[in-house]
């Protein structure tokens, strides 16, 4: 028996990177998985194929996390397609960095819409449907814990907001056995932060284990949080960052 056999999960931003690894991991653990994407329809379909290869149902929805109706709609479509919701993973994120005097108000608005409002709106919609024992897991960032480079004020602020959201929801939904947690990944080899990128060696030098994570390394923690063994962990922010934040 898999650990989350028969559960239904929704992963935002599941077409690539950490979100794709999470989608496949949850399927391997036994869940049917809906994933959202913005541009990459082909990759989203490929991830659905990997979910189905695990013997689970998969579905990809184009839903811009910056759009409140699209986020709410993704939750509703998940429930309609697969008959309920047990696990929400707020993963989609934008990464607007640069000198504070150069970042435009539109970049502020989009970052806050995708990184902060979308997790709130998705949780709000999910709270109506999550079955007892459900899970809300958000993907934060090591940059919420330790800002080692200039230019990260906006991104760091957006990820730090998830700490309050996670604690507030944990308090609110705990009586239903629903846990709410935050995972702060460290440097993880994805399109957004490739391990062979221009700053990668500096980043490795700041990371005690001296390596980037693979998306699967982050997905392993999300998979544990999604399962029954983590039931007493809620309102927590877990750094999965190779020690970057120490
Ligand atoms: P990637 O750029 O590799 O993938 C981003 C995913 O999110 C894609 O599936 C993309 O869809 C989707 N996405 C982006 N914007 C939207 C949107 N507006 N609506 C819906 N989907 C969207 O990113 P990562 O996997 O690296 O990052 C995932 C999360 O992890 C983010 O929240 C990020 O901040 C966080 N993180 C990453 C770290 C790293 O080192 N990689 C470190 C710390 C935190 P599409 O394919 O259609 O574009």
């Amino acid at each position: 028996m898999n650990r989350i056999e028969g559960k239904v999960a929704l992963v935002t931003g599941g077409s690539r990177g950490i979100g794709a690894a999470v989608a496949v991991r949850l399927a391997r653990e036994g869940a049917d998985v809906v994933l959202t994407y913005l541009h990459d329809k082909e990759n989203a379909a490929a991830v659905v194929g990997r979910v189905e290869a695990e013997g689970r149902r998969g579905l990809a929805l184009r839903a811009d996390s910056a759009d409140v109706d699209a986020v709410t709609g993704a939750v509703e479509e998940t429930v309609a397609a697969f008959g309920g919701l047990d696990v929400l993973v707020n993963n989609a994120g934008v990464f607007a960095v640069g000198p504070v005097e150069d970042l435009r108000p539109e970049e502020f608005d989009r970052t806050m819409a995708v990184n902060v409002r979308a997790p709130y709106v998705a949780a709000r919609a999910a709270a109506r449907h999550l079955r007892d024992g459900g899970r809300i897991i958000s993907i934060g960032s090591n940059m919420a814990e330790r800002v080692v480079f200039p230019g990260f004020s906006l991104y760091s602020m957006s990820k730090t907001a998830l700490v309050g959201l996670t604690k507030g929801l944990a308090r609110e939904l705990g009586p239903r056995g629903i846990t709410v947690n935050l995972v702060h990944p460290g440097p993880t080899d994805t399109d957004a932060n490739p391990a062979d990128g221009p700053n990668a060696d500096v980043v490795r030098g700041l990371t005690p284990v001296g390596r980037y994570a693979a998306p699967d390394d982050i997905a392993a923690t999300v998979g544990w949080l999604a399962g029954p063994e983590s039931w007493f962990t809620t309102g927590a922010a877990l750094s999965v960052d190779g020690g970057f934040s120490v």
Side-chain angles (χ1 to χ4, degrees):
M1 179 79 157
N2 288 331
R3 298 187 323 138
I4 52 174
E5 178 89 40
K7 306 280 187 191
V8 176
L10 168 62
V11 181
T12 68
S15 52
R16 291 182 287 120
I18 293 169
V22 167
V24 174
R25 175 78 189 211
L26 296 181
R28 192 165 300 149
E29 301 277 353
D32 295 326
V33 180
V34 176
L35 56 102
T36 69
Y37 66 97
L38 182 55
H39 300 298
D40 202 336
K41 190 175 181 178
E42 270 183 28
N43 259 348
V47 177
V48 167
R50 292 171 64 199
V51 166
E52 290 172 344
E54 299 292 338
R56 308 297 158 188
R57 292 180 293 176
L59 177 67
L61 302 173
R62 186 182 182 282
D64 185 352
S65 285
D67 177 341
V68 169
D69 291 339
V71 173
T72 304
V75 173
E76 300 298 336
E77 281 189 61
T78 299
V79 173
F82 291 163
L85 182 64
D86 302 284
V87 181
L88 167 67
V89 181
N90 291 308
N91 165 76
V94 289
F95 188 59
V97 295
V100 66
E101 59 270 41
D102 293 348
L103 284 178
R104 290 171 288 118
E106 304 83 68
E107 287 167 302
F108 175 93
D109 289 345
R110 184 157 181 87
T111 298
M112 296 304 278
V114 174
N115 293 8
V116 181
R117 190 177 64 195
Y120 175 81
V121 168
R124 178 175 183 271
R128 301 194 185 105
H129 297 289
L130 278 171
R131 290 183 273 239
D132 289 359
R135 302 283 187 259
I136 297 176
I137 303 156
S138 298
I139 305 299
S141 170
N142 54 336
M143 291 292 169
E145 299 274 87
R146 184 181 179 215
V147 186
V148 291
F149 300 117
F152 278 78
S153 53
L154 174 57
Y155 180 73
S156 172
M157 175 180 65
S158 73
K159 293 299 190 176
T160 305
L162 297 176
V163 174
L165 177 64
T166 299
K167 290 184 179 186
L169 290 173
R171 178 69 65 188
E172 197 164 332
L173 301 177
R176 290 164 53 189
I178 296 170
T179 67
V180 188
N181 290 292
L182 179 60
V183 173
H184 287 315
T188 307
D189 186 15
T190 67
D191 295 341
N193 186 13
D196 59 359
N199 297 320
D201 284 336
V202 179
V203 169
R204 269 186 282 273
L206 290 163
T207 308
V209 302
R211 288 168 50 194
Y212 272 52
D216 282 346
D217 297 321
I218 311 304
T221 297
V222 176
W224 176 75
L225 286 170
E229 290 170 350
S230 67
W231 73 273
F232 205 53
T233 299
T234 193
L238 307 183
S239 288
V240 185
D241 66 356
F244 185 96
S245 57
V246 300

